[in-house]
Amino acid sequence: MSPIAWCLTAGFAGLVVLGFPFAIAIALAITAALLIADIEPAFLAQSLISGSQQFSLLAIPLFMLAGELMTAGGLSQRLVDLAGTLVRHRTGGLAMVAVLAAVVFSAISGSAPATTAAIGSILIPAMARAGYDRGFAASIAVSAGVLGPLIPPSIAFVIWGIVAEQSIGKLFLSGVVPGLALAGGLLVVCWVHAKRNHVPKLPRATLAETWAAFHEGKWALASPLVVLGGIYGGIFTPTEAAAISCVYALLVGLFVERKLTLPMLPAIFSNSMRTSAIVCAIIAVSTGFGILVAQEQIASRFAHWMADNIQQRWLALASLNIAFFLLAAVMDEIAIMVILGPMLIAIATRFGVDPIHFGAIIVTNVAIGMAAPPIGYCLFIGMAMSGLSLARISRAIWPQILLMLVVLFLTTYIPGFALFLQPAGR
């Protein structure tokens, strides 16, 4: 490899190992490569601007803000109450409430961390009081949060759509079946755990309680219908849908639920901006990284190497999944998508993988990475809410990780599993 290629690969990896934040590590690797190549350093500033001026990127901070507003405005509590009236009387019912509430909240926020925080803050203490092991309670909240990247609208699919230059709407649809399959599997895990540990059932909700929960939760249920209906009805784009979601959450929180107040807004905006800044900084600096990687032909060379050494498509996809799982356990998932995106796309093209199907594979990997020890984002949120150690939650979450790998296997090797809802003649 050339000195520039070494800077972009080994140099970047070394900085990450030393503990540099990903955005800074990428920027330093680019700077070193520019100095070696005698390219004007202004290239980095230009790539930062071009990388951050994509219309679709606006969806990321907006969906994150929508999730914060929904949680503060009390809509997540409404979802939990509604799910509770439906399944709390079953074996493992309270844990199932977390899963069902996460399905709906995922269709509002599009974010795994936001879903984990919204559901876990309510249900981890409630499950512990009801007799569930606290480690399992935290692990099921983390696992349910993983539905965020899969159930549309999804921030992860927005990022991949930008990287791969694919239809974000079609990518959204490719996550529905894997997301619902994972949710169904988690319900089974909840039942098995409660049955094995003799967790007592809660009383069945009366018809009046169920009706009241539906009535009080109607505004929360309407949000995903408005957002997704608008996207697939052609009324607005995914980015515009994110803005609509924010306005909807703000109005409902202020004037309907009345749990949201004006003095709360600065802290809510600050939290969502802090998280969004991390994501957008990685994407912005990665634009220049991607240009230099393409110039050095690193992605295409690696794709040719795989094609020469791995003849079967199934084996190439298995290798990618294993590599992605190992990387996601120790590296930021968004950084993996953005930095390795050109290489991954080159490999998928080389082996003739449908680009929408490949997007579903990548985002399913990303979802698993959110919960995979040792640095999955959602794990740390679960730790903060439960007060447990990383080791304790990691031990409890392995059955759910195995379930996620089964869903990944189905998504990878059965294209119709991800493409089932795609429009005919797409």
Side-chain angles (χ1 to χ4, degrees), residues 170-196:
K170 291 180 179 179
L171 288 170
F172 280 172
L173 288 176
S174 72
V176 173
V177 175
L180 294 178
L182 177 57
L186 289 175
L187 293 177
V188 174
V189 170
C190 295
W191 184 88
V192 170
H193 175 86
K195 192 78 171 176
R196 182 178 298 168

Side-chain angles (χ1 to χ4, degrees), residues 41-57:
F43 169 84
L44 177 57
Q46 292 169 346
S47 65
L48 282 169
I49 294 171
S50 63
S52 58
Q53 288 186 333
Q54 300 180 64
F55 178 67
S56 298
L57 276 179

Side-chain angles (χ1 to χ4, degrees), residues 307-321:
D308 291 339
N309 291 275
I310 301 177
Q311 304 301 322
Q312 298 87 357
R313 186 169 75 167
W314 72 268
L315 189 55
L317 290 174
S319 301
L320 282 178
N321 281 335

